[in-house]
């Protein structure tokens, strides 16, 4: 079989790595991919949907797998499906569960899926009038996709007024911010759950935990994700509760709305004292969560994709390694704001990936030049370790992180610490 993975980050590197292990796969292509994939995939320099479709058709690609949300929101699945090509991901109207927060919030309200209380505004005067009477902190979210920059936690009225002005009057995030959701702040611990969905049915993965803030102790600005671990440590029945109270009613609701969800549903959750509440839905795998979920998954990813395509996902039983995985993201100093690129990365060659199968390096902002690696993005590299315990995985991942360096390199030193703390005797 021939597989095409769309995207170019560490999540897509992990997907390519996983597909390449399948005995059913003869060749993996990545569009546009990154140079970390060069020994397992052929990179193609196409990022437009029509040309990708032409490529997939000419190359007789059996399954196309879409990594990021943007092509899904733009309707790549609709184009491929119309042409009779197999592609994993929701169509444009089902992808609205991520691409429109207003759709997602109204949907959750209609189908009684627990989420923060909210109000929607397209008029700044009304929004300001409403927030005057609210308790802070308060959360303001842009309706449209904003590349992880569309959520603002406001500590007081002045903060909120500035955010609303920037979004609704000064066009800071363009059209995405013209309509906003204002919602209550939820307290608790975050978790991510992914469900492989065939429109009618689903199987969900183990729980994982992203670390969205830039700095230790969950401080600093929100980023795309600075690290993740899996399985996340929570009470045993939590996953079942999320399956029953979040994933199942979402699948039912999407079908009822005439937008059956086919692909990967990502529930971003806050585990509050009253139970799990949805912070957001995404229509794809998470980054960096994919970098810890895929290495622990024993099943062949091709089997899962085929079951989605044939609407037989109920026949799949997911099997997991009885281990823990941690991903630490190395980022460029300055990210998520302005940062410099082009710095030489040292130490990648000192990690022997052939010898140590429990260590993985997934590239995102890395350029491979003739005889060196250089930084080319905000999130540069995910260093992943698999261990018999979370503590062992942590030791291993940070031993490897120590071997890599580049100018102004930044990373968190507390990835998975919340989980480890729960495992330690009191
Ligand atoms: P989202 O893109 O909606 O998941 O928001 C990004 C991040 O902002 C989340 O991962 C949370 O850390 C934080 N966040 C979003 N909504 C809320 C909320 N209602 N209460 C507390 N934190 C939130
Ligand atoms: N891990 C956050 C995201 O993928 O959106």
């Amino acid at each position: 079989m021939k597989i095409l993975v769309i995207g170019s980050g560490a999540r897509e590197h992990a997907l390519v790595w996983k597909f390449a292990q399948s005995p059913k796969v003869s060749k993996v292509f990545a569009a546009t991919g990154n140079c970390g994939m060069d020994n397992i995939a052929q990179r193609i320099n196409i990022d437009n949907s029509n040309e990708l479709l032409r490529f997939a058709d000419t190359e007789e690609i059996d399954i196309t797998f879409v990594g990021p949300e943007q092509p899904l929101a733009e309707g790549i699945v609709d184009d491929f499906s119309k042409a009779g090509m197999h592609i994993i991901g929701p169509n444009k109207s089902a992808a609205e569960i991520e691409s429109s927060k207003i759709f997602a919030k109204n949907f959750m309200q209609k189908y009684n899926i627990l989420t923060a209380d909210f109000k929607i505004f397209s008029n700044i005067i009304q929004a300001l009038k409403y927030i005057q009477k609210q308790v802070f902190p308060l959360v303001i979210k842009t309706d449209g996709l904003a590349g992880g920059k569309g959520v603002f936690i406001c500590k007081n009225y002045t903060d909120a007024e500035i955010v609303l002005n920037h979004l609704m009057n000064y066009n800071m995030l363009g059209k995405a911010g013209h309509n906003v959701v204002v919602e209550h702040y939820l307290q608790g611990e975050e978790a991510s759950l992914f469900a492989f969905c065939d429109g009618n049915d689903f199987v969900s993965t183990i729980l994982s935990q992203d670390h969205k803030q830039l700095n230790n102790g969950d401080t600093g600005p929100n980023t795309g994700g600075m690290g993740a671990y899996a399985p996340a440590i929570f009470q045993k029945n939590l996953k079942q509760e999320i399956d029953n109270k979040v994933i199942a009613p979402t699948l039912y609701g999407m079908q009822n709305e005439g937008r059956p969800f086919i692909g990967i549903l990502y529930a971003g959750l806050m585990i509050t004292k009253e139970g799990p509440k949805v912070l957001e839905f995404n229509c794809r795998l998470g980054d960096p969560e994919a970098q810890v979920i895929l290495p622990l998954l024993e099943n062949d990813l091709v089997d899962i994709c085929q079951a989605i395509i044939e609407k037989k996902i109920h026949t799949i039983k997911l099997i997991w390694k009885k281990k823990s995985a941690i991903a630490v993201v190395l980022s460029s100093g300055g990210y998520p704001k302005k940062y410099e690129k082009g710095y030489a990365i040292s130490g990648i060659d000192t990690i022997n990936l052939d010898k140590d199968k429990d260590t993985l390096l997934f590239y995102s902002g890395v350029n491979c030049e003739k005889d060196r690696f250089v930084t080319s993005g905000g999130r540069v590299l995910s260093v992943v370790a698999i261990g018999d315990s979370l503590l062992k995985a942590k030791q291993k991942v940070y031993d490897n992180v120590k071997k890599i360096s580049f100018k102004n390199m930044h990373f968190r030193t507390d990835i998975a610490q919340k989980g480890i703390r729960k495992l330690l005797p009191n």
Side-chain angles (χ1 to χ4, degrees), residues 347-367:
I348 289 185
D349 291 333
T350 64
I351 300 174
N352 189 337
L353 299 173
D354 290 328
K355 216 168 123 200
D356 179 3
K357 294 292 175 203
D358 284 340
T359 294
L360 298 154
L361 294 181
F362 294 126
Y363 293 22
S364 39
V366 179
N367 260 351

Side-chain angles (χ1 to χ4, degrees), residues 210 212 224 266 282 284 286-289:
D210 186 9
K212 288 223 172 70
Y266 166 155
N282 294 321
R284 53 173 171 86
D287 182 343
E289 293 98 319

Side-chain angles (χ1 to χ4, degrees), residues 101 116 139 141 151 153 183-186 190 212-213 222 270 279-280:
K101 294 249 191 230
V139 185
K141 299 183 175 183
V151 176
I153 316 257
E183 70 178 35
H184 287 178
Y185 181 80
L186 295 176
E190 285 186 53
K212 288 223 172 70
Q213 280 97 346
N222 259 334
M270 187 68 90
L279 289 173
E280 63 164 348

Side-chain angles (χ1 to χ4, degrees), residues 1 10 27 49 57 151 154 186 225 250 281 324-325 335 342:
M1 288 179 104
K27 187 154 187 182
S49 171
D57 194 27
V151 176
C154 304
L186 295 176
T250 300
F281 281 121
S324 292
Y335 169 82

Side-chain angles (χ1 to χ4, degrees), residues 25 143 166 204 233 265 315 369:
V25 170
D143 175 41
H166 275 89
S204 60
I233 311 293
L265 180 67
T315 62
E369 293 183 349

